[in-house]
Amino acid sequence: MHSYFFKNFIMAALLLLLSFIVFGASFLGLGRAYMQSERQENLETNVEEISQLATAYSRTGRLDDLSFRMVLSTLSKTSSSDYLICDLRGNIMSCSHEEFRCPQLGKTIDPSIMRHLSVNGSYSSLDTLGGIYSKPHYLAALPIFSPDGAVLAYVFAASDASNLINIWNTLYRIFFISTLIIMAITLIISFVSARNQSKPVNEIARASRRFAHGDFSVRVSGTDRPDEIGALATSFNQMAESLELADKRRSDFLANVSHELRTPMTSISGFADGILDGTIPPENQRQYLETISSETKRLNRLVRRLLDLSRMQSQSVEEIRKSSFDACELLVETLLVFEKRINDKKLDVNVEVPDDGIEVCGDRDSINQVIYNLLENALKFSPEGGELSLSVFKQNGKAYVSVKNNGETIPEGDIPLIFERFHKSDRSRALDRDGVGLGLYIVKTIIGSHGEDIAVTSRDGITEFVFSLTLKK
């Protein structure tokens, strides 16, 4: 993983440096070409002016006399260029040098340059003028005409190029040295960044391997980072917590199932053995056979409800909501099932439903199970002569079903746990010896499978369960 991040960072750094080098080299190259072109154009402008001046001067004087040389010297200072006057054969006869005798005087310009000048009428280049100069110079040349229009001589303008070349060579050296320094810094930063980026990812990889071996307690660092790696680390830790909780619930579920199965099976086995080996006398056998039958039915209810839970959890919300039914009608029908038990307890029942009913989306049989379980739970904990209130109403675009009874207040610490599998408070354990601890868990599972919510409140001896359903459009 570290190698992956390192390679990507190095690749990005090299691409950035390559772009920088190409841009910098192009900029320097264009700048140098522009400066050379500008220098050459200035030189050609100067030599054109000198050519015109020399042509005018030749009408009254000689091009090799001292006065014209003084003029050339003055112009040389203002333009930072040297000027040479040569005859048609290339022999230098005057120059702009301040000394009485200039070093180029008497030298002959390369014949190839003179032929090019005579054929093309002008000359421009960057060279030593056939060895006249020891260093490269920018050169420009034009003819000097006599009054009758014939070529009388040639004038050369020369500007030392060594300073400009040295400046650009220095710039090139600075550029490449800077590039090397930037490359070194970039590689260091890339290496450090790669390590920082890969550290939480490596931790996640190690944690994943521990997950594969069943250890869900491990967590990764880096959740305080503001980037995508921090978000990944946070999501991973949340996933780890969910997996750890799921694993704990699975373990608790297996432990609870084992306990719930063990109790009736122990009773069945013990009483059956007692009947078989004669420990239980014949006159008491019917009583214990009834106990065996009751425990067997309890086992059957437990298994059936576990299978129902598995079926409900495998269905999607969209699939469940395809059908619809009247919630008011279902509530009344379910209530009638408990008519005998209500009468036995002499409960005062209050039902509030709209006359025109309320159509809702969902699986009718599943919601029937919800209402049945809630009613059974309410009847179980209602005192004799108590009150039972049922209602269906609309609010904020939803339908709500309420089941309310009076009795003992549920302890505040038990309320978050009453929907857990096999959870029973001490109160329910005392009153409900036949339950399997799955009634409210089934309620929560069914409501959740419909994409809805259920809430419970218990204050001052009044306990109310309210769940929502989606209205049919």
Side-chain angles (χ1 to χ4, degrees), residues 104-258:
Q104 293 84 14
L105 199 62
K107 293 184 178 180
T108 302
I109 297 174
D110 191 305
S112 63
I113 297 176
M114 297 307 298
R115 284 194 298 271
H116 181 279
L117 184 55
S118 62
V119 171
N120 296 283
S122 64
Y123 177 77
S124 62
S125 180
L126 174 62
D127 54 43
T128 60
L129 197 58
I132 298 298
Y133 293 104
S134 59
K135 298 178 181 179
H137 279 60
Y138 294 103
L139 301 170
L142 287 174
I144 301 172
F145 298 97
S146 63
D148 57 1
V151 177
L152 180 64
Y154 294 98
V155 56
F156 282 83
S159 178
D160 191 358
S162 59
N163 290 336
L164 185 61
I165 292 174
N166 290 335
I167 290 173
W168 283 103
N169 288 339
T170 301
L171 288 176
Y172 276 121
R173 285 194 295 271
I174 292 174
F175 171 74
F176 284 109
I177 291 173
S178 301
T179 300
L180 293 176
I181 294 174
I182 293 173
M183 180 179 292
I185 295 174
T186 302
L187 291 175
I188 294 173
I189 294 175
S190 298
F191 180 77
V192 174
S193 299
R195 292 189 62 184
N196 291 336
Q197 292 289 339
S198 63
K199 182 179 178 181
V201 179
N202 287 334
E203 286 187 29
I204 291 174
R206 288 193 295 269
S208 299
R209 288 191 289 270
R210 292 177 64 178
F211 284 177
H213 291 87
D215 181 6
F216 301 110
S217 63
V218 64
R219 298 293 183 270
V220 297
S221 61
T223 55
D224 56 340
R225 295 174 55 142
D227 55 7
E228 292 81 358
I229 299 296
L232 177 63
T234 300
S235 299
F236 186 88
N237 285 343
Q238 292 173 348
M239 179 193 69
E241 291 173 1
S242 298
L243 289 173
E244 186 176 25
L245 179 60
D247 185 64
K248 182 178 182 300
R249 287 178 175 175
R250 179 185 61 83
S251 299
D252 292 343
F253 175 75
L254 292 175
N256 290 330
V257 168
S258 299

Side-chain angles (χ1 to χ4, degrees), residues 40 65 97 111 119 129 155 191 241 260 262 295 300 466:
Q40 191 70 40
D65 61 17
H97 203 276
V119 171
L129 197 58
V155 56
F191 180 77
E241 291 173 1
E260 294 293 334
R262 186 187 305 113
E295 293 297 304
N300 182 60
V466 180

Side-chain angles (χ1 to χ4, degrees), residues 319-380:
E319 184 180 358
I320 293 173
R321 287 182 178 177
K322 286 181 180 179
S323 58
S324 62
F325 60 93
D326 187 338
C328 301
E329 178 183 331
L330 180 62
L331 179 65
V332 174
E333 288 181 1
T334 309
L335 177 62
L336 293 176
V337 175
F338 294 93
E339 183 177 5
K340 184 178 184 304
R341 293 177 61 181
I342 291 173
N343 293 331
D344 290 343
K345 273 199 167 185
K346 301 177 182 179
L347 298 179
D348 182 13
V349 180
N350 180 30
V351 180
E352 297 182 5
V353 295
D355 293 335
D356 55 350
I358 297 178
E359 283 287 322
V360 295
C361 297
D363 182 73
R364 192 180 192 279
D365 292 337
S366 297
I367 300 302
N368 178 55
Q369 182 70 50
V370 169
I371 297 174
Y372 185 95
N373 287 1
L374 292 178
L375 281 172
E376 186 178 41
N377 194 69
L379 290 171
K380 188 184 304 178

